[in-house]
Amino acid sequence: MNGFKLEPVTLTGRHVTLEPLTTAHVPELREAVDFPEIWRFMPFQPSSEAQLGALVEQAVGLEASGQMLTFAQRSNAEGRVVGSTSYLNPDPTNRRVEIGATEEGTLRHHMIMPDRHLRDSVYFSILRTEWPEVRASLEGLMSNA
């Protein structure tokens, strides 16, 4: 679609640089495995670097097939990877991607979690016309950080 193409790119901000996630990031992300609260609402819960590596490989494969775009988040101050973020379910026909801001609604019992309980998923959105205000708000929050 005109104007809609997700491609790996490096995005540098004041505090964080987003860089395309690769398997080379796994050792730096290893620390995340030690904090199960990070994975609490995720449909996967890696408990080893090998499992984390498999998740990264899966993300890279989904990116190659156009189903998502995942970034490593690198702290500019520390120079280390501190997390990751993704664009999910790109839909070029409707020119949309999942990333969230304004709450749209809740899909009840949307996912079966590893411990077998049913998770509700809250969906968020930002419309193109809302972006200038959202951006200004985010920049304000970041300037206070």
Side-chain angles (χ1 to χ4, degrees), residues 19-91:
E19 52 194 50
L21 184 70
T22 69
T23 55
H25 291 107
V26 172
E28 288 185 271
L29 290 169
R30 166 62 182 90
E31 187 177 327
V33 171
D34 296 332
F35 295 92
E37 61 273 15
I38 292 173
W39 308 99
R40 183 172 157 204
F41 298 109
M42 304 298 270
F44 39 77
Q45 297 172 346
S47 59
S48 69
E49 186 171 331
Q51 289 177 351
L52 183 62
L55 283 174
V56 170
E57 287 178 14
Q58 180 182 21
V60 169
L62 289 170
E63 181 178 308
S65 68
Q67 296 179 57
M68 72 186 303
L69 183 58
T70 303
F71 299 92
Q73 299 170 330
R74 187 173 299 280
S75 165
N76 294 339
E78 299 176 45
R80 68 184 186 97
V81 173
V82 295
S84 68
T85 190
S86 300
Y87 292 143
L88 302 172
N89 301 317
D91 180 352

Side-chain angles (χ1 to χ4, degrees), residues 14-15 138-145:
R14 187 177 332 156
H15 301 288
L138 291 171
E139 287 174 343
L141 290 170
M142 290 189 301
S143 69
N144 293 327

